[in-house]
Amino acid sequence: MTAYRKLLSVNVQHNYYEDNLCNDLRFVPTMASQKTMVNQRWLLKAFNSGFNVITEVGDNLKTKIVFADTTLQFGIFLNQAAKFLGITQLNETAPDKEFLSNKKIYFSNNALNPDLKYQIIDGIVGDLMNLTFTLPPANTGATLRVNSSTTNNLVIAFDTDGQPVSGPYKIAVNSSDFFEKLLDMSRLPDGLYSISIKNAADTGNDLLSYKIFKSNTLSAQSIFGVLELKLPASNAAVTETKFFIRFLRKSTIWKYYVVNQSGIDLDDFDLLVKDKSLDGTPSGNPVYAKYTFAGNPIPANDPDPINKIADADILLFKSNVKIPFYQKVKIGLELSKKDGGTEVILTKNLPNPIPEKQAGEESKIYVYV
């Protein structure tokens, strides 16, 4: 009788969601990894927030086929890219590196540590990469190396007979003040590489550096990033190795543009935004706090298009601090009109911002009264 056991699992979590489970990612193995799994008699089984790799085992609960050190690589696709990128904090803080539209995310494991850490990388490339860069004018030459995690100064150039040309590689600035180098990575295995660029004398710290993932298969696809799992050789009874990808929610300044369409005389009335929630206390939502919103006329230099099309007075209310995105809506934000000692509530629960419509560190909400 054929028996199977879980070899490993990858579980994706995100603290934006109430249940902490994230089904925004989809993992697709490269062709080479698919072949490896078939040869090892492993099965890939996806579920909403990750996947399992299941192996066939014998009576001793060991894999039917003993495996040596094995690397599995997956392209990571986003099911709802705008929403996921809107709610997720992806920037690196040590050192500072911003996740931009031209960047990718690279996840990998540290041995069998359950937490899969990520890096922001500069791209996913195929066998050939044409690198173009600029340096300060004092540099008329540069020195380039390509390194892996285990080997420095890899060969990425060949002569007309196909013989390797060893690095480091000297590059001269061209007539357009650019540096250009074609990197032939066709003889390097798929994986993560770093590019180091120093001055012409090859001294001092890097002037520039890049991190890239080489994969012909993945470079041709529009993907969010790469997952690479390195599994140590084993002939022991199979027990599940659990890996976790953990994302953190993003926080932004909330900006309420209150458009006075009803002609309320703002010289006689005050408009107020108050947080009447119990958030931050045992009776409220612990994810949110209680916030204050300062209201002022729109600054003359405010670039928001609403200022040109509203044709009405606008007050801008900004949160005093950044507010996190969370799946459960924040309630208790009241918009009121005050005339002397009388206060009238206009809106009891102001809408929350839509994450995919936020821009940078700010989230804008438009309210019409």
Side-chain angles (χ1 to χ4, degrees), residues 6-67:
K6 282 187 189 178
L7 180 66
L8 64 91
S9 61
V10 172
N11 302 269
V12 185
Q13 300 180 342
H14 199 312
N15 69 349
Y16 167 81
Y17 295 104
E18 288 187 74
D19 61 6
N20 208 37
L21 299 178
C22 176
N23 60 7
D24 296 318
L25 273 58
R26 182 165 49 90
F27 301 88
V28 179
T30 62
M31 292 179 64
S33 294
Q34 289 181 38
K35 184 177 180 180
T36 296
M37 287 188 282
V38 169
N39 290 341
Q40 291 292 149
R41 299 170 82 170
W42 296 348
L43 301 175
L44 180 68
K45 294 293 183 182
F47 53 90
N48 283 344
S49 57
F51 64 88
N52 298 316
V53 174
I54 301 168
T55 182
E56 189 176 352
V57 296
D59 294 338
N60 56 5
L61 300 183
K62 296 181 179 181
T63 57
K64 282 286 188 73
I65 301 174
V66 176
F67 66 95

Side-chain angles (χ1 to χ4, degrees), residues 340-357:
T342 304
E343 188 169 344
V344 178
I345 296 173
L346 301 176
T347 304
K348 197 170 184 65
N349 290 299
L350 286 170
N352 288 202
I354 299 172
E356 49 265 49
K357 291 187 177 181

